[in-house]
Amino acid sequence: DIQVTQSPSSLSASVGDRVTITCRTSQSISDYLNWYQQTPGKAPKLLIYGASNLQSGVPSRFSGSGSETDFTLTISSLQPEDFATYYCQQTYDSYPFGQGTKVEI
Amino acid sequence: QVQLVQSGAEVKKPGASVKVSCKASENTFNTYYVHWVRQAPGQGLEWMGIINPSGETTNYAHKFQGRVTLTRDLSTTTVYMELSNLRFDDTAVYYCGRRMRGAPYDALDIWGQGTMVTVSS
């Protein structure tokens, strides 16, 4: 099975900060990597699919990059509504999620 | 936009089974693959399985094989997830999610609101 390692598990940031979250896989997955945002008590929301494609309706301050085994989600200027938990998901071999990154103040 | 509405919270005893439904507001739902994902309290997301549009093909995570069954009723645009032989650690929120079309990445673009399943003696 392909392992997915997401880091950090949590981070503290302020409004306006640039935030970067990393996802690493144990084998190459090309660009089969998606990113989700989840706020407490809510279902996850798709942000990025195929490593770098912004889902319709998602603000442009979110971006994704990477390929093969190393991927990054970047929030260019953190907004109050962005304080949430973020998950990556590889879909090359089965569909496991990363462990999550909680972005807090 | 299509909405996925899941059935209500359940409380079950260990060893019992639970069946959660996921109903769409549009008939086009019948042309989509559907994933199921769960989340234990305070924990991350865990993928469980996927069912194809006709309901004839399913794929389950190794961890759940033998205990989970996904089915769908095309006449009611409803997908079901049944988990058997429940254990305390099956206590979680269970989500259905629609696999997006137009790209080969199996992303879940629309999610149900979640169903809380509590396993308690």
Side-chain angles (χ1 to χ4, degrees), chain B residues 54-79:
Chain B
S54 70
E56 294 177 354
T57 301
T58 54
N59 181 17
Y60 303 126
H62 293 313
K63 175 177 180 177
F64 299 103
Q65 283 183 357
R67 283 209 305 142
V68 69
T69 304
L70 302 184
T71 55
R72 67 195 303 167
D73 183 340
L74 300 178
S75 68
T76 61
T77 63
T78 303
V79 176

Side-chain angles (χ1 to χ4, degrees), chain A residues 31-32 34 36 38 91 95, chain B residues 39 47 95 104-105 108 111-112:
Chain A
D31 57 353
Y32 285 75
N34 308 314
Y36 301 86
Q38 187 181 34
T91 58
Y95 307 93
Chain B
Q39 186 171 39
W47 181 78
Y95 293 101
Y105 302 110
L108 287 73
W111 295 66

Side-chain angles (χ1 to χ4, degrees), chain A residues 40-101:
Chain A
K42 300 290 188 180
K45 172 188 174 182
L46 178 64
L47 298 176
I48 302 285
Y49 63 92
S52 61
N53 300 284
L54 191 68
Q55 171 66 347
S56 175
V58 174
S60 59
R61 63 180 179 273
F62 291 93
S63 65
S65 64
S67 66
E68 307 299 336
T69 61
D70 292 285
F71 302 87
T72 299
L73 173 70
T74 300
I75 309 172
S76 60
S77 178
L78 199 66
Q79 297 303 300
E81 60 268 30
D82 301 336
F83 290 95
T85 301
Y86 295 83
Y87 294 92
C88 62
Q89 180 198 27
Q90 71 90 356
T91 58
Y92 183 84
D93 175 32
S94 193
Y95 307 93
F97 290 88
Q99 298 85 349
T101 297

